[in-house]
Amino acid sequence: MSGSPTAPEQRYLANGGVGLLIDLTDGDPVVVHWGADLGSPVPDAGAFTDAVARSSFDVPIRPSIAPQSARGWLGRPAVRGSRDGRAFSPLFVLEQVSGSDADLQMQLVDDLTGLRLQVALELTPSGLLLSTCTLTNTGDTPYLVGGLDTALPIPDHAVEALDTTGRWGREKHPQRRRIDQGLWVRGGRHGRTGHDATAVLAAGTAGFDWGTGEVWAVHLGWSGDSETFLERLRSGQGLLGGGELLQPGEVVLAPGESLTTPTLYAAYSATGLDGVSARFHDWMRARPQHPVTPRPVVLNTWEAVYFDHRLQPLLELADTAAELGVERFVLDDGWFTHRRHDRAGLGDWTVDAGVWPQGLGPLIDHVHGLGMQFGLWVEPEMINADSDLARAHPDWISGPGGREPLEWRNQQVLDIANPEAAAHILGALDALLTEYRIDYFKWDQNRDQPELGSAGRASSHDQTLAIYALLDELHARHPGLEIESCSSGGARVDLGILQRTERLWASDSNDALERQTIQRWTELLVPPELVGAHVGPTVSHTSGRVHAISFRVLTAMLGSFGIEWDVRTATADDRRVLTEGIDFYKRYRGLLHTGRMVRLDSPDPTLQTTGVVSTDRSQAVFIAASLASGAAEIPPRLRLRGLDPARTYRVELGLPIEPGSGSERTAVPWPSTGLTASGAALQHIGVPMPMLFPEHALVLTVEAIA
């Protein structure tokens, strides 16, 4: 079907309870509605045209799928660029439309500026909207791209914004603000996603929370420099969108060349943030590459031995891990040439013969002999000045040209955008995987680099694509390999990298109190089976806090469970609690990693409860954590949302409450007797809470009995 400036047309996409109504009148695709499914009959899109204000353009100005200054949009235009200062303001006209009830492809052209814009929209069965744009230079001179966004409208009753921010060891903390007139931009110039990057940028109705309110949210699936934005014009019209953040001269399209945006993922929910989360989780779990085997219990050696790599202690650590029920043993930093500390060796991806005279074979064979998988830490995108690679190829250090950038953790970034450097790293990793039976790479990336450059030109765009290609090629050569995305913790948590990895590391902090918030908000976007969550040592090495083993175990339960601790030194009681926790995880991970996440809204912010309810609502697990002392003497009841109100359930403690976890004059009875009630009663009356001390937790199991 083709459109013209005088042919009134519209398209309506519907899937997963979400509707998208697009008016194609005047050759300009205008999103009239993104939100709840409008049902049948589909309304006339043109009937919802707003008034023309005084002292304004003479025609109604509406938010196009590609906002343009030439069409009167006074906000951020979708396409920004020029031909040496000219052709700076395109006027795109719809030329061609195709698609189905759940997807749409539109081609827009502007012959005057010599540009073609192709927009692809897909509304998935989970109700998640995927949007990409491709800009093509149809002119006969180069076109310098300054920016290329995709955006969607938000209604005027979306009055509050929410995103997340953070730092190393404290990622994904929420922040809220009122939506006022102006432009709110979340930009990242890190050369990677960034510790302060937001999981989503959301707009919602007043007071929206986990279980209440309408919410519109976007996430940009990109692992390099990026921007997401929320804009409210003086007209009251608003947009949510995002795109790459491009440095000057970074992308110049020669005649015939194209640039495609990263995917903008957009989720609408009428049931609060949990509804947004469900759309992301359902879409990710439906991907063909999504891990379907049970997520193994992991032991990582970093906080157990650091750089002290000696075979016998590591063999003993593996023995203890296997006794506890660990299923994957990961050897962390320190195994390769020159790597006795963090100031040397990055880039030299060969086994250090001085530390491992027989290679890694004896450890790997022992680990496999115990029935565990073997994993290995690598940081292929980095290079130390004190390395054989840097001495041989100083020109492979990424930077602006003519000088080296500031060091970060004694390291620089390797110029993976350079095909020779990329080929060298691919060859080194391929050789390791060919020589040894390695099941898993913990792929780290430990620094920001705001001056990524290759051959003197800005290269965040090319570096990101080169890393994607490297990961894709390793998967192609070694189909059974799993890769964890670690970036000094949670500095690369995005759906671009998660299209190519099977796990992510949410934070370098294993402090259970910090992790309660970090994991809760990381899992707004990412399903828990992909989020590494480890039981750290009694004393956290990032905060110095001391936590009971039960609190550490239950905090790690709602994720991809693991341990990062020298468990050889654990007390008998600690080993008992840890073993019970591992057994519980194995028994319930089929539910935890497939069910619907439910975060309970609580009148007391010091009590945080997260649950997972099975898709058929026959069972659930809820973990309640006391984060600090509450204002009230008696903690609020747990009002268990997500169950079937008409069914009868049995509520019990999933694991014993450890002695010393709380204090009360008379205990609530259900932990010892169980509680039987309808789903309606459990939601509206709630489960009385024992009085936990701060930084302690308990776990409930909920089973339908009728």
Side-chain angles (χ1 to χ4, degrees), residues 217-265:
V218 297
H219 169 85
L220 189 71
W222 183 245
S223 309
D225 292 348
S226 66
E227 290 183 330
T228 50
F229 64 91
L230 190 161
E231 185 168 30
R232 180 78 75 188
L233 301 188
R234 71 188 190 197
S235 63
Q237 296 165 312
L239 288 179
L240 274 174
E244 280 192 76
L245 194 165
L246 298 174
Q247 300 292 336
E250 187 167 5
V251 175
V252 180
L253 299 179
E257 287 187 336
S258 300
L259 171 68
T260 298
T261 65
T263 300
L264 184 75
Y265 299 86

Side-chain angles (χ1 to χ4, degrees), residues 226-562:
S226 66
E227 290 183 330
T228 50
F229 64 91
L230 190 161
E231 185 168 30
R232 180 78 75 188
L233 301 188
R234 71 188 190 197
S235 63
Q237 296 165 312
L239 288 179
L240 274 174
E244 280 192 76
L245 194 165
L246 298 174
Q247 300 292 336
E250 187 167 5
V251 175
V252 180
L253 299 179
E257 287 187 336
S258 300
L259 171 68
T260 298
T261 65
T263 300
L264 184 75
Y265 299 86
Y268 164 77
S269 166
T271 56
L273 289 167
D274 273 348
V276 167
S277 187
R279 297 203 189 280
F280 280 106
H281 292 188
D282 289 350
W283 175 79
M284 294 190 74
R285 287 169 172 166
R287 300 171 305 157
Q289 77 270 32
H290 192 76
V292 293
T293 56
R295 297 293 81 207
V297 177
V298 174
L299 184 136
N300 183 281
T301 66
W302 179 242
E303 292 187 39
V305 302
Y306 296 100
F307 290 110
D308 184 14
H309 283 206
R310 289 173 292 140
L311 180 59
Q312 188 56 40
L314 287 167
L315 294 176
E316 295 170 2
L317 186 60
D319 289 339
T320 305
E323 291 170 4
L324 292 169
V326 169
E327 298 160 310
R328 175 182 285 163
F329 184 93
V330 180
L331 182 66
D332 211 282
D333 195 0
W335 58 269
F336 50 98
T337 304
H338 306 307
R339 194 64 169 179
R340 306 281 59 77
H341 44 67
D342 68 356
R343 301 182 298 280
L346 288 175
D348 300 337
W349 302 110
T350 55
V351 178
D352 192 318
V355 178
W356 300 91
Q358 297 176 277
L360 296 177
L363 177 62
I364 294 175
D365 291 344
H366 187 76
V367 166
H368 284 141
L370 293 169
M372 296 186 291
Q373 299 175 3
F374 180 82
L376 191 66
W377 181 94
V378 293
E379 192 175 2
E381 302 165 54
M382 298 295 142
I383 185 169
N384 284 126
D386 185 4
S387 68
D388 294 340
L389 185 62
R391 285 182 281 271
H393 291 284
D395 55 314
W396 286 3
I397 296 175
S398 179
R403 61 172 171 81
E404 286 192 1
L406 289 171
E407 284 199 340
W408 175 306
R409 293 190 70 215
N410 310 297
Q411 63 192 54
Q412 298 282 6
V413 177
L414 189 66
D415 180 13
I416 306 292
N418 180 330
E420 293 181 357
H424 172 82
I425 292 299
L426 176 62
L429 298 179
D430 185 52
L432 278 170
L433 292 166
T434 300
E435 180 177 359
Y436 296 111
R437 185 182 158 195
I438 298 170
D439 306 289
Y440 178 84
F441 268 162
K442 179 183 176 182
W443 184 294
D444 214 337
Q445 194 271 35
N446 270 311
R447 67 158 290 173
D448 286 356
Q449 168 51 304
E451 291 189 302
L452 279 175
S454 183
R457 298 179 65 89
S459 65
S460 175
H461 174 82
D462 291 341
Q463 179 89 355
T464 304
L465 292 178
I467 292 162
Y468 288 171
L470 182 57
L471 291 165
D472 290 343
E473 181 61 24
L474 282 171
H475 275 309
R477 295 188 183 190
H478 304 276
L481 178 70
E482 288 196 4
I483 299 176
E484 174 183 51
S485 171
C486 175
S487 190
S488 52
R492 191 154 64 185
V493 174
D494 64 79
L495 298 190
I497 202 71
L498 276 170
Q499 289 294 84
R500 298 160 174 87
T501 53
E502 287 73 36
R503 193 179 194 249
L504 63 84
W505 188 227
S507 179
D508 278 346
S509 175
N510 285 318
D511 178 319
L513 183 62
E514 295 286 358
R515 276 284 184 147
Q516 282 285 332
T517 299
I518 292 167
Q519 291 169 196
R520 185 178 183 89
W521 290 92
T522 299
E523 291 170 0
L524 166 62
L525 175 69
V526 182
E529 63 268 26
L530 302 185
V531 179
H534 289 184
V535 178
T538 305
V539 180
S540 169
H541 86 151
T542 57
S543 69
R545 285 197 186 102
V546 176
H547 285 132
I549 180 64
S550 58
F551 186 56
R552 285 141 57 206
V553 166
L554 290 179
T555 298
M557 194 67 67
L558 288 172
S560 177
F561 189 94

Side-chain angles (χ1 to χ4, degrees), residues 78-83 86-93 95 107-118 134-145 147-148 253-259:
V79 177
R80 303 180 296 283
S82 72
R83 300 181 189 275
R86 300 180 182 276
F88 67 92
S89 181
L91 174 62
F92 289 111
V93 177
E95 183 180 71
Q107 183 167 282
L108 302 96
V109 296
D110 180 14
D111 293 332
L112 184 62
T113 58
L115 296 173
R116 176 187 299 117
L117 186 67
Q118 294 169 294
T134 299
L135 183 69
T136 302
N137 180 6
T138 59
D140 54 10
T141 59
Y143 182 82
L144 173 64
V145 182
L148 180 59
L253 299 179
E257 287 187 336
S258 300
L259 171 68

Side-chain angles (χ1 to χ4, degrees), residues 601-616:
D601 299 321
S602 173
D604 183 351
T606 70
L607 181 62
Q608 180 168 286
T609 305
T610 304
V612 181
V613 180
S614 65
T615 54
D616 64 0

Side-chain angles (χ1 to χ4, degrees), residues 61-82:
I61 305 303
R62 301 192 292 168
S64 170
I65 198 74
Q68 304 152 59
S69 301
R71 291 190 178 273
W73 186 252
L74 296 176
R76 177 180 170 122
V79 177
R80 303 180 296 283
S82 72

Side-chain angles (χ1 to χ4, degrees), residues 113-175:
T113 58
L115 296 173
R116 176 187 299 117
L117 186 67
Q118 294 169 294
V119 180
L121 302 171
E122 178 188 0
L123 192 53
T124 69
S126 77
L128 192 66
L129 180 63
L130 280 55
S131 174
T132 59
C133 292
T134 299
L135 183 69
T136 302
N137 180 6
T138 59
D140 54 10
T141 59
Y143 182 82
L144 173 64
V145 182
L148 180 59
D149 297 335
T150 53
L152 290 161
I154 54 172
D156 51 16
H157 58 282
V159 296
E160 291 184 14
L162 178 144
D163 52 21
T164 62
T165 187
R167 57 171 173 81
W168 178 81
R170 194 180 184 274
E171 298 88 338
K172 299 296 181 290
H173 277 59
Q175 55 185 14

